[in-house]
Amino acid sequence: MVVKVYGPIKAACPQRVLACLLELGVDFELIGVDLDSNEHKQPGFLQKQPFGQVPVVEDEDFRLFESRAIIRYYATKYGDKNRKLYGTTLEEKALVDQWLEVEAHHFNDMVYTIVLQKLVIPKMGGKTDHDLVQNCEKKLEQVFDIYEQRLSKSSHLAGDWFTLADLSHLPGIRYLVNECELSHMVRDRKNVNLWWNDISNRPAWKKVMQLFHELS
Amino acid sequence: MATPVKVYGPPLSTAVSRVLVCLLEKDVPFQLVPVSMAKMEHKKPDYIKMQPFGQVPAFQDDDITLFESRAICRYIAEKYPNKGTMSLFGTNPLVKASMDQWLEAESQSFIPPSSVLAFQIVFAPRMKLKQDEALIKQNEAKLVKVLDVYENRLGSSQYLAGDEFTLADLSHLPNTQFLVEKTNRAELFTSRKNVSRWWSEISTRPAWKKVVEMQNA
């Protein structure tokens, strides 16, 4: 039975889950959820995901939400398919968890606000708070400075190989270098640029992008 | 005998106390190294080497230096599976997944509004800063929605991830302690039957009571 992933391909969090499943070669069925018509806030969806957010996965009798919990679960379950994705030792795993937390808090909070203000709010007829955007961009530059330092010591965030910590950044950086027109944040930093080129050219992520273009 | 692990930061900090209660639940001896935020010690080069974002806590044991409190808690819980509270990291893969799910929900949905409320109501007056009433109202509304979800969940489950206490419950202790004990917003929690029952159980655990003592010292 294939894993069912509920959520639109255009949203960051479902992309995070799909990238992970594709890295592991786990078959899935993507079931769209129409955010524009508030499908995610309807009773039927709230039964699956009580916070009214995407994605949620269903795997036989098991249901799970929160994309970073989902990727941890599958990387553990199918660890034999890619041992390095979540670390092979306790210490390696701890570093993956550490940088996953960094992505979830320091990085994601800024990207989320920038995307909301620059893309979503104008689309809904509202006004962008430019001061807030400028503030977030400044903080994001500081985060990328820390990444630049880190990536001068190892090729990827948690060590010298691709892990969930790097994977988790793919959807957010995609937004930054495309619709948000902030690609300079990546391109202006030698190590971050090398890292982004590496992780965004992985076959699994390219497949997510293929689906993104097919289904959008 | 291994050297006690080191935790850097003040016990009143949400993230530091999250790590302390985890170490106490797991009976792992530790040394708390003070970091004076007032003197900006967390922004000095020696500290930044351990924690590049200049935040507390940082953690060191014989094998690793780590930051991000939930990553530290996961490491401790997995490193010492047979010490102290054994259910902390989930007793099987499905419970662990459920624990991860509610730990993410805590960090993404519970922490933002509860942190704003704790800061605005508890700390802003202490720092002689003006409270932002609109921000308080906005975040109270957000927190109410989250607590409604918890109320429903805890009606069919003893703890968030299942029948046993895990990191998902533990992670809520610091901010809930502030809001229930140090503000007049306790009723957000106590007026909800299942949330109130859950709070009563988790907050009276000996490990958390010890952390509260450390905070009040």
Side-chain angles (χ1 to χ4, degrees), chain A residues 9-202:
Chain A
I9 187 70
K10 63 177 181 179
C13 298
Q15 287 174 7
R16 181 176 291 116
V17 170
L18 296 184
C20 180
L21 294 175
L22 284 158
E23 286 283 349
L24 296 164
V26 175
D27 286 333
F28 62 85
E29 181 193 348
L30 181 63
I31 298 159
V33 175
D34 185 6
L35 303 184
D36 291 334
S37 70
N38 258 356
E39 190 184 339
H40 54 312
K41 306 292 181 189
Q42 303 307 317
F45 188 82
L46 290 172
Q47 280 223 320
K48 297 182 197 288
Q49 214 290 15
F51 295 94
Q53 294 169 334
V54 290
V56 55
V57 305
E58 282 173 352
D59 190 341
E60 298 192 12
D61 294 332
F62 182 56
R63 186 182 284 153
L64 199 56
F65 55 85
E66 285 296 339
S67 62
R68 295 171 193 83
I70 296 166
I71 65 178
R72 283 182 166 102
Y73 173 68
Y74 284 103
T76 306
K77 184 174 181 179
Y78 296 104
D80 56 323
K81 297 199 180 193
N82 184 332
R83 295 216 164 275
K84 286 298 205 182
L85 203 59
Y86 200 8
T88 51
T89 66
L90 195 59
E91 289 74 31
E92 283 177 8
K93 192 174 179 197
L95 289 175
V96 177
D97 275 327
Q98 175 185 276
W99 289 101
L100 253 173
E101 291 293 324
V102 167
E103 182 274 321
H105 303 295
H106 299 278
F107 177 81
N108 187 62
D109 286 356
M110 298 304 117
V111 173
Y112 180 86
T113 305
I114 292 169
V115 169
L116 187 70
Q117 289 293 328
K118 278 176 107 160
L119 305 174
V120 178
I121 286 177
K123 195 171 144 200
M124 287 166 34
K127 215 169 147 247
T128 302
D129 181 343
H130 291 287
D131 286 338
L132 182 58
V133 170
Q134 222 176 32
N135 198 6
C136 285
E137 287 181 12
K138 197 168 157 208
K139 286 183 179 164
L140 197 52
E141 295 268 17
Q142 290 170 342
V143 171
F144 272 122
D145 284 341
I146 292 170
Y147 284 16
E148 182 66 8
Q149 256 265 38
R150 171 64 186 172
L151 293 164
S152 69
K153 304 200 169 84
S154 59
S155 62
H156 295 77
L157 287 172
D160 285 321
W161 48 83
F162 180 78
T163 70
L164 293 182
D166 309 293
L167 182 150
S168 206
H169 285 83
L170 286 160
I173 299 183
R174 192 212 66 80
Y175 263 122
L176 291 179
V177 306
N178 290 286
E179 297 93 328
C180 295
E181 298 176 319
L182 294 170
S183 61
H184 68 272
M185 288 197 185
V186 172
R187 308 292 174 214
D188 289 352
R189 292 172 172 84
K190 178 171 144 258
N191 302 316
V192 171
N193 193 37
L194 274 169
W195 169 71
W196 170 246
N197 284 339
D198 178 280
I199 68 175
S200 59
N201 277 299
R202 290 180 70 89

